[in-house]
Amino acid sequence: GAVRSMNGLFLGAWAEASPPPPPAVTQISLTDLASAWLAACHQCPPAVLLWAYCTLICLLLAGLGLFHAMLISRNLTTYEHVKRTYRAANGTLHNPFDRGLRANWAEALFPTASHRLTYSATGTAAIDQP
């Protein structure tokens, strides 16, 4: 029979038919993918520049994130790392504030009030130790 939609329009006999089968899965070769990418680049050159810019920014941010993860893991500041403050003459690293990987990350993620600088009336700073 005829099928009517919600707004009362006649849909016809095709509404009762089964849906069409899904399209067959085709394999795309790397050559086809590359040629499609190059065709898209020719159609919109600014998109290529935007892609290159975003890729560069993401790589730089990833490097910055990894550098700071290394600093947190060693419980160093950037200044201490650059000046090699805790390097011995033989090249070994002896940081008196390094408490181990897990404790260093816990200190960085969940700081407590006991690790703050206090300033006196004379302008000198002292580190509060736990």
Side-chain angles (χ1 to χ4, degrees), residues 63-85:
L64 186 66
L66 289 173
F67 173 71
H68 281 89
M70 182 271 305
L71 289 177
I72 291 171
S73 298
R74 295 179 180 176
N75 205 4
L76 288 172
T77 63
T78 305
Y79 183 81
E80 291 168 344
H81 176 72
V82 170
K83 295 294 182 180
R84 300 180 184 268
T85 304

Side-chain angles (χ1 to χ4, degrees), residues 27-37:
Q27 292 184 356
I28 299 174
S29 70
L30 190 57
T31 307
D32 293 338
L33 186 62
S35 63
W37 191 80

Side-chain angles (χ1 to χ4, degrees), residues 48-102:
V48 177
L49 293 175
L50 181 63
W51 175 82
Y53 175 76
C54 290
T55 301
L56 177 68
I57 293 298
C58 287
L59 288 173
L60 291 173
L61 286 175
L64 186 66
L66 289 173
F67 173 71
H68 281 89
M70 182 271 305
L71 289 177
I72 291 171
S73 298
R74 295 179 180 176
N75 205 4
L76 288 172
T77 63
T78 305
Y79 183 81
E80 291 168 344
H81 176 72
V82 170
K83 295 294 182 180
R84 300 180 184 268
T85 304
Y86 302 114
R87 291 253 180 221
N90 62 1
T92 60
L93 180 68
H94 178 69
N95 179 2
F97 300 103
D98 188 3
R99 298 166 48 195
L101 185 66
R102 185 175 292 182

